[in-house]
Amino acid sequence: MLSATQRVSPIPSPAPRLRSRKPIGQILVEMGELAPGDLVRAAAMRQREDARIGDILLAHGMVSERALYTALARQFNAEIARFDQSPPDVRLIDRIGADECLRRGILPWRQAGGTVLVASCRPEQFEELRPRLTGIFGPVRLAVTSETALHEALLKSRQRRLASQAETRVAAHESCREMDIRKLTRLMSSLAVLGLLIALISPLTAAILLTSWAVITLVISTALKLAAAFAQARNSKTRQSTFASKRNKTALPIVSIMVPLFKEREIATRLIKRVSRLNYPRELLDICLVVEEDDTVTQEAIAGTDLPRWMRQIIVPRGGVKTKPRALNFALDFCRGSIVGIYDAEDAPEPEQIHKIAAHFAQADPKVACVQGILDFYNARTNWLSRCFTVEYATWFRVILPGYEKMGLTVPLGGTTLFFRRDAIEELGGWDAHNVTEDADLGIRLARHGYRTELLHTVTEEEANCRLWPWVKQRSRWLKGYAMTYAMHMQKPGKLWRDLGPWRFFGVQALFLGALSQFVLAPFLWSFWMFPLGLPHPMRGVLPHDLLVVLGAVFLFSEVITIATSMVATSTSKHKWLWPWVPTLHFYYPLATLAALKGLWEVVSKPYYWDKTAHGIDDHGFHEETEAEPPLVLSDPIAPEAAENAPFVLKKPLISPGNAPANEKRAPLVLYPTRDEAPMPLREAAEAARPFVFDGLQPESGGSAPVPGRRLTFGLDLSRGPQTPALRRAMDAATVALDPERLRPAPQPDIRPTPEQTEELGVLTTPAPPPAVNAPGAPDWAHVAAFAERPDFVPGVSPIDKGRDSA
């Protein structure tokens, strides 16, 4: 297998001169596999998206996979790889590695004479790889295969090797797998025995030492919490919306989202419905449902659901460990996107989330490798535990973490609503398969490699753990992972200091060691409640009275800061109802002490055990019965000669929401003039286009949601204010660009049948040709305004059309 420096990659030499090839769309049209109108629509989409025309055609069901790759074989004059008839030669695969085959979309198939046939699902990239492939195999020849067939062939031949690599992707010195657990066990046992001896010899001395350490860590954590709250408060006044700031004009990227599932009988089908509400273009969305090989429960649940083209299941083979990070490592190479995200099984992300993520990465510095969203709960009202859990998460994700980011500290990641630059996560080797809090560990490794994590105001709702013992088990896994992560990175404190710098090194100590100390030693701090209750304190006769008063004041002050911070975090309109429950956190946080003791015991007894949290227990069928919002449609179009002075308006559909197609959520991006409604300015009509819809968003503390009443359209403020001459000229130019005559198909010489009124689609058509762009069967010309020309090879293009387009 090749080393990292020998991987297949394009060499920095001039690209070879390629002979002119017939466009793939033309081939499909000539084959009769693609309608000309669908081709024009797909070509229009490609103008604004970083996607291949074939992926767009497949995502929208315009062609079949068989037809597409048959056409690709014709385009590149290559044969189609038939792995069922001739399995791939594993010796050829091992010469470059199965993981590299997945990344590059290639598969060394077989040797024919002195030539090696290399199957590729991305034949347009084959010429770039040819020099390297020739250096490895000698003469090579292209064969075309589908991505599905390539993945299946690799899994059949090298499944176990890929599974083994998923466990060891992270470098040994950065992974818990190489940590000496016996040494850690001896250290923890020695400390426990020493504490027990001191307690037996001099209980008061042991109590003073432990209380002193607990107070020191309490002061540090309280100071950091207060500083983070002030940093976030300052930032919330100046932060601008992602969509209100200036952005570079970049094509929308492909985004892959991995959803690890394990024994999710109740949640699998609900998850599919929730993720389907994301309004990101389907051809750019790649949802990977990651399921363990022996998890027949989840596999059966998914098998009973009709998965869309942009959603697929990835089966993770059995291995040495069975953890979420190992499953993510295995699925990473199967992802298609340049941005890779993670959702949990019970997640319900907001529909605009992926648009926000893509826009943020487009603006951010290349060193911003990770974007963390906000987590919230949709079952907060279930019981007292779920209410306190919601308050805790609101404080952590809306105040503490954003404050840490602004203070320049290392951000410990959450386990979901995480999005990464693909090249950065691959450089780090993915996730540590042997760490049960892989998210917190990855946050430190990103910082050690010079990358940054930023918080973004986009909310994902999930299910709060509202049962006592499952809550304790979940929290014990988190704290066990904190302990293992801290022990692993502190194996060489000097190197950690050099990698992070003094300030972030201090932050790691305060966050990990401080949190563990606080939870384990919390009973010593609880003793200070004796002062306000008028009870005798055990150390009253040993320590000076003034010192005891100071210690008690520090403890009470920390409690006030905790309550105040939680009140600020829940000051949004959605969370204000939780205020009466915030003081009860005094009874909530002590539960974490039990979880910490359980977690520390498991560090010694079973360090790699993943204590699974069950989902779907109190799901309440979130949004399951919510009907899809009917698409906005255009009313009766007017004659072209009246278009200049007609207002731009929208008209509600004639259909009822109950009869609306479930999968129809897209509204036209181009609005045509009408004549029978009250005028609506262009700035109002432009904002109605989706998926950039913010009217329903509520501004929340510390977030980046737009100010209510302000209209945001692709970074332009088109609110009702005085317009500058430059803005008026730009809007006049936009009106010309949206001329419906440039977007309407050319008139045909044949006589068209008179269309009838169609209430099912909510469109009132007129008998005058050409047909309305929203009429049944008409091409979707309203998809994008920039694409005003039709390819020459599409039937029906007349010389008049060509002359008008060229003009």
Side-chain angles (χ1 to χ4, degrees):
M1 185 182 297
L2 295 178
S3 64
T5 58
Q6 297 173 315
R7 295 292 191 186
V8 176
S9 58
I11 59 176
S13 60
R17 186 184 301 272
L18 299 177
R19 62 184 179 86
S20 177
R21 301 184 188 277
K22 183 181 294 186
I24 185 65
Q26 179 179 354
I27 297 175
L28 287 166
V29 170
E30 293 174 351
M31 291 170 57
E33 298 286 351
L34 177 63
D38 286 342
L39 173 60
V40 175
R41 177 186 170 195
M45 295 182 199
R46 196 185 182 197
Q47 303 301 311
R48 73 186 198 279
E49 299 172 355
D50 184 17
R52 299 178 300 173
I53 189 74
D55 293 332
I56 297 175
L57 296 174
L58 288 175
H60 290 271
M62 299 177 185
V63 298
S64 65
E65 191 174 62
R66 177 199 57 78
L68 175 63
Y69 285 95
T70 300
L72 283 173
R74 292 189 185 182
Q75 184 186 33
F76 287 89
N77 194 26
E79 66 176 289
I80 298 178
R82 309 282 184 185
F83 299 130
D84 53 343
Q85 300 176 5
S86 177
D89 189 339
V90 295
R91 295 170 299 180
L92 298 176
I93 296 175
D94 290 342
R95 293 177 67 176
I96 60 175
D99 55 340
E100 191 70 6
C101 290
L102 285 173
R103 295 190 191 103
R104 300 293 177 183
I106 58 176
L107 178 61
W109 180 22
R110 58 187 176 87
Q111 194 161 4
T115 303
V116 173
L117 272 72
V118 179
S120 174
C121 59
R122 306 168 198 164
E124 71 280 359
Q125 300 177 5
F126 185 77
E127 289 302 324
E128 298 180 17
L129 300 175
R130 184 186 290 275
R132 295 286 185 176
L133 293 172
T134 301
I136 297 172
F137 300 111
V140 294
R141 185 157 52 93
L142 172 66
V144 174
T145 185
S146 68
E147 186 177 57
T148 303
L150 186 143
H151 288 175
E152 290 178 354
L154 274 173
L155 285 175
K156 287 181 180 179
S157 57
R158 280 294 174 259
Q159 182 180 25
R160 297 303 169 189
R161 177 160 296 186
L162 287 169
S164 176
Q165 290 174 349
E167 299 178 13
T168 58
R169 289 189 69 147
V170 176
H173 67 279
E174 293 184 328
S175 172
C176 290
R177 71 178 183 274
E178 295 296 328
M179 188 170 60
D180 192 344
I181 297 296
R182 289 178 297 179
K183 181 179 178 181
L184 179 62
T185 301
R186 289 194 298 268
L187 176 62
M188 293 179 61
S189 301
S190 300
L191 290 176
V193 171
L194 178 62
L196 182 61
L197 289 176
I198 296 176
L200 291 175
I201 297 174
S202 177
L204 195 57
T205 302
I208 293 175
L209 290 175
L210 294 176
T211 302
S212 300
W213 179 249
V215 169
I216 292 173
T217 57
L218 177 66
V219 170
I220 294 175
S221 62
T222 302
L224 281 177
K225 183 182 298 184
L226 193 60
F230 277 109
Q232 172 62 3
R234 289 195 304 269
N235 177 65
S236 63
K237 296 179 180 180
T238 59
R239 176 180 290 183
Q240 293 182 343
S241 169
T242 297
F243 292 87
S245 56
K246 184 178 180 181
R247 296 186 297 169
N248 297 326
K249 293 182 179 180
T250 56
L252 292 176
I254 298 176
V255 178
S256 293
I257 301 175
M258 296 185 287
V259 188
L261 303 173
F262 185 66
K263 294 184 178 179
E264 305 288 358
R265 182 192 303 275
E266 302 297 331
I267 204 74
T269 53
R270 300 177 195 173
L271 167 72
I272 294 171
K273 293 181 181 179
R274 292 168 183 172
V275 176
S276 297
R277 291 183 173 89
L278 291 170
N279 56 21
Y280 201 65
R282 292 299 185 246
E283 61 272 14
L284 301 177
L285 201 56
D286 177 32
I287 306 294
C288 301
L289 307 180
V290 186
V291 184
E292 295 287 344
E293 183 180 23
D294 55 356
D295 182 11
T296 57
V297 172
T298 306
Q299 292 180 36
E300 290 174 359
I302 295 176
T305 306
D306 187 15
L307 292 181
R309 169 77 195 181
W310 44 272
M311 189 178 292
R312 55 204 168 107
Q313 179 181 222
I314 297 177
I315 305 296
V316 182
R318 296 180 181 88
V321 294
K322 184 186 292 185
T323 59
K324 173 183 174 181
R326 172 183 175 270
L328 294 176
N329 283 341
F330 182 84
L332 179 59
D333 289 332
F334 291 87
C335 293
R336 303 187 184 112
S338 57
I339 297 175
V340 178
I342 302 173
Y343 284 151
D344 275 345
E346 75 276 21
D347 284 359
E350 63 180 37
E352 297 84 11
Q353 186 168 100
I354 309 302
H355 276 292
K356 291 182 179 181
I357 296 295
H360 191 87
F361 273 124
Q363 299 177 86
D365 186 273
K367 284 298 181 181
V368 177
C370 176
V371 171
Q372 168 75 69
I374 297 174
L375 300 185
D376 206 341
F377 298 116
Y378 46 72
N379 64 327
R381 298 179 183 270
T382 303
N383 54 28
W384 170 77
L385 195 61
S386 64
R387 292 179 176 94
C388 292
F389 208 166
T390 304
V391 173
E392 181 189 15
Y393 259 48
T395 306
W396 183 248
F397 283 99
R398 297 175 187 270
V399 178
I400 305 300
L401 282 188
Y404 280 6
E405 176 205 336
K406 297 305 172 185
M407 293 166 61
L409 293 174
T410 300
V411 177
L413 306 179
T416 180
T417 316
L418 288 170
F419 294 86
F420 303 91
R421 295 189 193 272
R422 172 77 173 264
D423 53 353
I425 193 67
E426 287 184 341
E427 177 188 335
L428 267 66
W431 295 262
D432 184 2
H434 293 76
N435 194 320
V436 294
T437 52
E438 78 294 339
D439 40 15
D441 168 71
L442 184 56
I444 296 181
R445 287 197 289 123
L446 283 169
R448 296 187 71 169
H449 285 261
Y451 291 107
R452 298 205 316 272
T453 298
E454 291 187 352
L455 275 293
L456 182 64
H457 191 281
T458 177
V459 180
T460 296
E461 294 189 324
E462 56 182 16
E463 179 188 358
N465 200 336
C466 54
R467 296 180 300 158
L468 181 60
W469 184 241
W471 187 97
V472 171
K473 294 201 304 183
Q474 182 187 61
R475 192 59 56 99
S476 69
R477 188 187 77 231
W478 294 352
L479 294 175
K480 177 176 72 172
Y482 263 42
M484 294 182 64
T485 298
Y486 179 77
M488 195 279 298
H489 286 281
M490 283 296 291
Q491 291 181 104
K492 297 181 179 180
K495 189 175 188 310
L496 182 63
W497 176 288
R498 291 190 297 272
D499 290 343
L500 297 179
W503 175 238
R504 290 191 296 176
F505 179 86
F506 164 75
V508 169
Q509 306 304 313
L511 179 63
F512 288 87
L513 183 59
L516 291 170
S517 301
Q518 286 286 289
F519 288 126
V520 173
L521 302 179
F524 293 95
L525 297 174
W526 300 340
S527 67
F528 289 111
W529 281 111
M530 295 180 177
F531 291 112
L533 296 177
L535 299 175
H537 195 278
M539 290 186 290
R540 186 181 293 273
V542 179
L543 299 179
H545 175 74
D546 293 341
L547 179 59
L548 287 175
V549 171
V550 170
L551 293 177
V554 168
F555 172 71
L556 292 177
F557 178 73
S558 69
E559 293 293 290
V560 170
I561 293 299
T562 298
I563 297 301
T565 305
S566 300
M567 296 288 282
V568 171
T570 54
S571 61
T572 65
S573 59
K574 179 181 177 181
H575 297 96
K576 277 187 177 180
W577 67 275
L578 289 166
W579 277 0
W581 302 94
V582 171
T584 65
L585 291 176
H586 296 303
F587 307 100
Y588 170 77
Y589 284 119
L591 297 176
T593 298
L594 177 61
L597 295 175
K598 179 178 181 294
L600 291 178
W601 169 252
E602 288 184 354
V603 170
V604 178
S605 59
K606 42 184 178 181
Y608 304 132
Y609 172 67
W610 185 279
D611 208 342
K612 172 75 169 60
T613 302
H615 301 129
I617 304 300
D618 194 65
D619 196 291
H620 291 322
F622 175 76
H623 288 334
E624 291 306 302
E625 303 303 326
T626 302
E627 294 290 345
E629 184 178 347
L632 297 173
V633 298
L634 305 179
S635 62
D636 187 21
I638 65 174
E641 59 271 12
E644 181 176 356
N645 299 318
F648 282 73
V649 303
L650 289 173
K651 190 171 184 179
K652 284 292 182 181
L654 298 178
I655 55 176
S656 63
N659 296 328
N663 60 347
E664 184 61 44
K665 296 185 181 181
R666 185 183 64 248
L669 296 181
V670 178
L671 307 177
Y672 288 91
T674 62
R675 64 185 176 208
D676 57 350
E677 297 286 351
M680 178 182 292
L682 174 61
R683 56 177 171 268
E684 298 288 335
E687 187 57 22
R690 287 209 196 125
F692 299 96
V693 178
F694 295 99
D695 292 339
L697 292 180
Q698 294 291 336
E700 299 183 330
S701 174
S704 58
V707 179
R710 185 180 184 187
R711 290 260 180 213
L712 300 174
T713 305
F714 296 91
L716 298 178
D717 184 2
L718 302 181
S719 56
R720 295 178 181 271
Q723 297 180 2
T724 63
L727 179 57
R728 282 197 299 270
R729 289 194 299 270
M731 294 178 66
D732 292 340
T735 304
V736 175
L738 299 183
D739 181 5
E741 279 299 290
R742 290 179 55 79
L743 296 178
R744 184 175 285 119
Q748 301 297 319
D750 59 325
I751 299 177
R752 299 178 181 271
T754 302
E756 300 178 354
Q757 178 170 324
T758 309
E759 290 196 0
E760 288 77 5
L761 295 178
V763 179
L764 297 178
T765 61
T766 61
V773 294
N774 292 79
D780 190 3
W781 296 97
H783 226 336
V784 65
F787 190 82
E789 298 180 359
R790 303 178 71 191
D792 292 340
F793 55 83
V794 176
V797 177
S798 65
I800 298 177
D801 295 325
K802 295 180 180 179
R804 181 172 59 207
D805 289 341
S806 62

